Amino acid sequence: MAIDAPCMIPKLIGPKKTNRYSPPASELLLTDGSNLGAYVRLFTQSQSMKDWSQLSEVFKDTGNCTLFEKMHDGKKAWEILKETPESGNRFNEAMASQSNSIMRGLVARCSNIFDGLNSLVDVGGGTGTAIKIIAEAFPGLKCTLFDLPHVVQNALKSDSFDVIGGDMFEKIPPANAIFLKKVLHDWGDEDCVRILKKCKEAVLESNKNGGKVIVVDIVIDLENSDTKAVETSLLYDISMMSIHGSKERNKQEWHDIILGAGYSGYKIYPAQLGVNSVIELYP
């Protein structure tokens, strides 16, 4: 069963504001602002620009090689990040920068999705920015960061969450809830089904009759009246295709992989965090 649902966000009633100040986009880069500088640097570095300039090559090649692989001697992005510490650190800093912006909004606007939970594992959580924000917002929730061993060795030092290294395709630590932020768009449909099945196993191992998986990702909606949001989601779609051979998904595509992984139902909270939606999956 699929449900489109709003987050339970209280509406503030007051006089309508006029002539509201709109800060320049450059303020997003400031460390005392949104601090998205690291994210911007990742995608505007010279190699990234060189890769994007060759985008047309993807459509000329009939093979299965992505643009990134063509530009990096056949190596996948994950291989480069593991083999080159400088690239890995730059990527982790960028993801932490993006996470900070998304997660502040999540705990403030959609806190109800954490109601009733006693444990949560952030799968593919990088160095821990997201899980740290969750743990600090909900101190009674037992939180765990889970990612590849070479990633979590650089995790933030904090007493608010545990750290476990491993492979999400093999086994995920059990918890009442599994959290996946901007993970599934990196993978094709078959791999997403495999990941979601492992998440389901982890939830059921912790709680036979409850629990859930929380996904934060883009849900493409071409009928959205916000044309900038549509353009941004499609830009991410092209980026995922070029780097990983994966994609952003529309509602039907999310429906297919969720039910394909054996879930009984789900709810979509559309575009709660910029272009990102929140999806709750029920085993």
Side-chain angles (χ1 to χ4, degrees), residues 254-274:
W254 278 110
H255 175 88
D256 291 343
I257 63 171
I258 291 169
L259 268 62
Y263 286 79
S264 63
Y266 62 93
K267 289 181 183 178
I268 297 177
Y269 302 90
Q272 295 296 322
L273 308 163

Side-chain angles (χ1 to χ4, degrees), residues 66-193:
T66 68
L67 173 63
F68 185 93
E69 291 164 1
K70 286 179 69 69
M71 300 298 291
H72 294 268
D73 300 321
K75 291 187 177 181
K76 297 182 181 298
W78 306 121
E79 295 177 82
I80 297 292
L81 296 179
K82 183 177 181 179
E83 295 173 0
T84 313
E86 181 182 355
S87 297
N89 291 337
R90 187 184 299 117
F91 176 82
N92 289 335
E93 289 173 2
M95 295 303 102
S97 141
Q98 183 194 47
S99 285
N100 186 63
S101 175
I102 292 174
M103 295 306 302
R104 298 295 178 191
L106 181 67
V107 299
R109 301 183 60 202
C110 300
S111 61
N112 59 294
I113 66 173
F114 299 98
D115 289 349
L117 299 180
N118 51 55
S119 60
L120 179 144
V121 173
D122 182 5
V123 174
T127 55
T129 298
I131 198 67
K132 187 173 185 290
I133 292 173
I134 294 173
E136 291 175 349
F138 306 99
L141 184 61
K142 177 178 172 55
C143 293
T144 302
L145 169 66
F146 181 73
D147 210 317
L148 293 168
H150 73 273
V151 175
V152 297
Q153 71 180 7
N154 297 314
L156 299 172
K157 305 300 181 185
S158 175
D159 294 329
S160 62
F161 61 89
D162 296 327
V163 177
I164 299 177
D167 186 340
M168 64 184 175
F169 287 103
E170 295 180 0
K171 182 175 175 58
I172 294 171
N176 195 220
I178 302 299
F179 186 70
L180 291 165
K181 179 186 62 62
K182 308 294 286 182
V183 170
L184 296 178
H185 72 165
D186 292 334
W187 302 92
D189 290 347
E190 290 185 5
D191 284 330
C192 282
V193 169

Side-chain angles (χ1 to χ4, degrees), residues 15-22:
K16 184 178 180 180
K17 294 184 177 181
T18 58
N19 299 323
R20 189 164 62 181
Y21 169 66
S22 297

Side-chain angles (χ1 to χ4, degrees), residues 9-47:
I9 307 169
K11 292 185 178 180
L12 301 179
I13 300 175
K16 184 178 180 180
K17 294 184 177 181
T18 58
N19 299 323
R20 189 164 62 181
Y21 169 66
S22 297
S26 57
E27 284 194 13
L28 296 172
L29 309 181
L30 301 179
T31 54
D32 60 352
S34 297
N35 194 19
L36 286 170
Y39 190 76
V40 173
R41 285 195 297 274
L42 176 68
F43 289 99
T44 56
Q45 60 180 314
S46 58
Q47 184 61 54

Side-chain angles (χ1 to χ4, degrees), residues 183-193 196 217-221 233 236-237 240 245-258 268 277 279:
V183 170
L184 296 178
H185 72 165
D186 292 334
W187 302 92
D189 290 347
E190 290 185 5
D191 284 330
C192 282
V193 169
L196 290 175
D217 229 319
I218 288 174
V219 178
I220 292 178
D221 179 8
S233 65
Y236 271 106
D237 187 40
M240 292 302 102
S246 56
K247 60 184 176 182
E248 303 295 352
R249 295 175 170 85
N250 59 32
K251 288 182 181 179
Q252 184 60 52
E253 290 168 324
W254 278 110
H255 175 88
D256 291 343
I257 63 171
I258 291 169
I268 297 177
S277 297
I279 312 174

